[in-house]
Amino acid sequence: QVQLVESGGGLVQAGNSLRLSCAASGRTFSSYAMGWFRQAPGKEREFVAAISRSGGTTYYRNSVKGRFTISRDNAKNTVYLQMNNLKPEDTAVYYCAADQRPDGSDYSYFHDYDYWGQGTQVTVSS
């Protein structure tokens, strides 16, 4: 079992930055690829970014490339999402998730993930 707790959300103006954190406890953190997803009201949960177990490979949805950076610190059992140049369309609840499939899997589908956090709200005002 893995427990995930997100933090770092908030209300910011467009163009500003936020860093989300997701702290993991339980089984070996480095055994899991980690992903960030988001869900806006009335919309489906969508992939934002993912990182391989070692941190050597990262993946992003097109709309956040160049603005968001996913990273992990396996010694601290934490994954991060640095979000720069935020836009109103980034407003959503952001979730982190853990995936135990091997490196090289497609990490963009939320139903493939094994564990989820409770989410943290990010609101970007124009």
Side-chain angles (χ1 to χ4, degrees):
Q1 192 78 2
V2 175
Q3 293 81 40
L4 302 172
V5 179
E6 302 97 334
S7 61
L11 171 64
V12 297
Q13 290 188 326
N16 284 353
S17 300
L18 280 175
R19 188 174 84 154
L20 305 183
S21 299
C22 173
S25 60
R27 299 180 66 182
T28 307
F29 178 69
S30 60
S31 298
Y32 294 87
M34 298 298 295
W36 286 97
F37 288 76
R38 67 188 180 187
Q39 188 166 18
K43 295 188 176 181
E44 293 187 351
R45 190 167 298 192
E46 64 180 20
F47 170 75
V48 176
I51 189 166
S52 64
R53 292 178 288 187
S54 67
T57 306
T58 57
Y59 312 83
Y60 298 95
R61 71 179 296 109
N62 286 337
S63 62
V64 308
K65 285 180 181 178
R67 300 189 298 123
F68 291 11
T69 302
I70 188 171
S71 61
R72 67 189 296 163
D73 186 338
N74 286 345
K76 295 182 178 180
N77 286 3
T78 303
V79 61
Y80 306 97
L81 186 67
Q82 177 67 45
M83 305 185 294
N84 299 329
N85 190 23
L86 282 160
K87 303 177 180 181
E89 52 263 41
D90 295 318
T91 295
V93 177
Y94 283 71
Y95 299 89
C96 72
D99 186 334
Q100 61 184 346
R101 292 177 301 151
D103 286 349
S105 300
D106 185 342
Y107 297 119
S108 62
Y109 296 100
F110 69 87
H111 57 76
D112 288 323
Y113 284 75
D114 302 288
Y115 302 102
W116 290 85
Q118 83 290 347
T120 186
Q121 177 70 47
V122 171
T123 304
V124 185
S125 63
S126 57

